[in-house]
Amino acid sequence: MRIVFDIGGSVLVPDKPDIDFIKKLAYQLVKISEDHEVAVVVGGGRVSREYIKAAKTFTPNETFKDYIGIHITRANAMLLIAALGEKAYPFVVQDFRKAWEVIQLKKIPIMGGTHPGHTTDAVAALLAEYLQADLLVVITNVDGVYDSDPRENPNAKKLRKITTAQLVEIAMQGESKAGGSSVVDALAAKFIQRGKIRTYVVGKNDAVNLFDVIRGKHSGTIVEPEP
């Protein structure tokens, strides 16, 4: 099985690097790669958002600020590369074709951001589509997809199983609200739908046992492609 893991920056580096979690994650990724082909995309998280917020003081250039965020994602990616040791390709991969080449070498390609205007969720979805991955696992600081933002609505309901079309609808609704957000952004959701990618959205608690997650044993959300 070919699996792409999309790891949120706030999961790896909430306020500072979560060393214990990174060690557990790296161990599991190495072990999973013994039986499966694995690729990873790492986000920027809170650190990236803080840098971008600070940059607003100096420039209105959104593309420039996107590049700042991309650099932070790649720093986080380097941290994971260090934790994975020799199993990881030693440089942050910046191109999908290179990721494919690295997989052929039996190494794990680690990516961060690639282009302005694309979140790392979108990068992960595109990578999964390009690699024709069997599974995309999205690891976030929210433990699944909800019918509304659980950080704002205490009565929000977690959705155990949805279609890719429903994921797009939920993501679009989240982004249409002022200050709104969804676990997977709308662009990424559209790529998941287009690529017909089976996707699991899980939280940090599930991520400590990825061996079960890739078998569908988790408390997150299963996103099934339409026929």
Side-chain angles (χ1 to χ4, degrees):
M1 186 161 65
R2 184 172 289 172
I3 310 166
V4 173
F5 291 92
D6 174 18
I7 306 172
S10 293
V11 175
L12 282 184
V13 187
D15 291 307
K16 60 181 181 178
D18 188 338
I19 302 299
D20 288 341
F21 176 73
I22 293 171
K23 285 180 179 178
K24 291 176 184 176
L25 193 68
Y27 171 80
Q28 293 177 90
L29 291 172
V30 169
K31 287 298 183 182
I32 289 169
S33 71
E34 293 175 359
D35 298 313
H36 305 281
E37 293 178 331
V38 171
V40 180
V41 178
V42 180
R46 183 180 300 171
V47 175
S48 177
R49 289 190 292 274
E50 288 298 327
Y51 267 81
I52 290 169
K53 181 180 177 181
K56 289 180 181 178
T57 305
F58 308 109
T59 177
N61 189 324
E62 293 295 332
T63 300
F64 184 88
K65 286 179 278 188
D66 281 344
Y67 274 119
I68 292 176
I70 288 169
H71 282 296
I72 300 300
T73 67
R74 292 176 181 174
N76 288 344
M78 285 295 291
L79 186 62
L80 185 58
I81 287 171
L84 287 167
E86 292 187 359
K87 187 61 183 180
Y89 188 71
F91 304 104
V92 178
V93 174
Q94 300 179 23
D95 179 86
F96 298 142
R97 291 170 295 182
K98 184 66 178 180
W100 183 87
E101 290 176 3
V102 170
I103 286 175
Q104 307 316 304
L105 298 173
K106 307 300 181 184
K107 297 284 188 179
I108 301 175
I110 312 294
M111 298 186 70
T114 55
H115 298 93
H118 281 191
T119 64
T120 47
D121 285 342
V123 172
L126 282 170
L127 177 62
E129 182 180 45
Y130 183 82
L131 296 177
Q132 296 183 296
D134 301 290
L135 178 65
L136 170 63
V137 178
V138 180
I139 302 171
T140 81
N141 56 5
V142 180
D143 63 348
V145 179
Y146 285 74
D147 59 0
S148 60
D149 190 340
R151 292 163 292 193
E152 300 292 335
N153 177 14
N155 296 316
K157 179 183 177 183
K158 186 193 296 184
L159 305 172
R160 178 60 182 154
K161 185 178 287 189
I162 59 175
T163 66
T164 53
Q166 288 173 309
L167 180 66
V168 170
E169 182 180 353
I170 291 166
M172 292 290 288
Q173 287 175 352
E175 293 193 3
S176 68
K177 299 173 183 176
S181 63
S182 56
V183 174
V184 177
D185 69 89
L187 184 60
K190 289 177 181 177
F191 289 146
I192 289 169
Q193 182 183 36
R194 182 181 76 177
K196 298 183 181 298
I197 304 163
R198 182 176 175 84
T199 302
Y200 298 156
V201 180
V202 301
K204 194 168 184 174
N205 288 340
D206 276 315
V208 296
N209 197 345
L210 291 179
F211 304 107
D212 282 343
V213 169
I214 64 172
R215 296 181 178 91
K217 298 177 181 179
H218 56 81
S219 61
T221 299
I222 298 170
V223 184
E224 294 278 12
E226 290 87 4

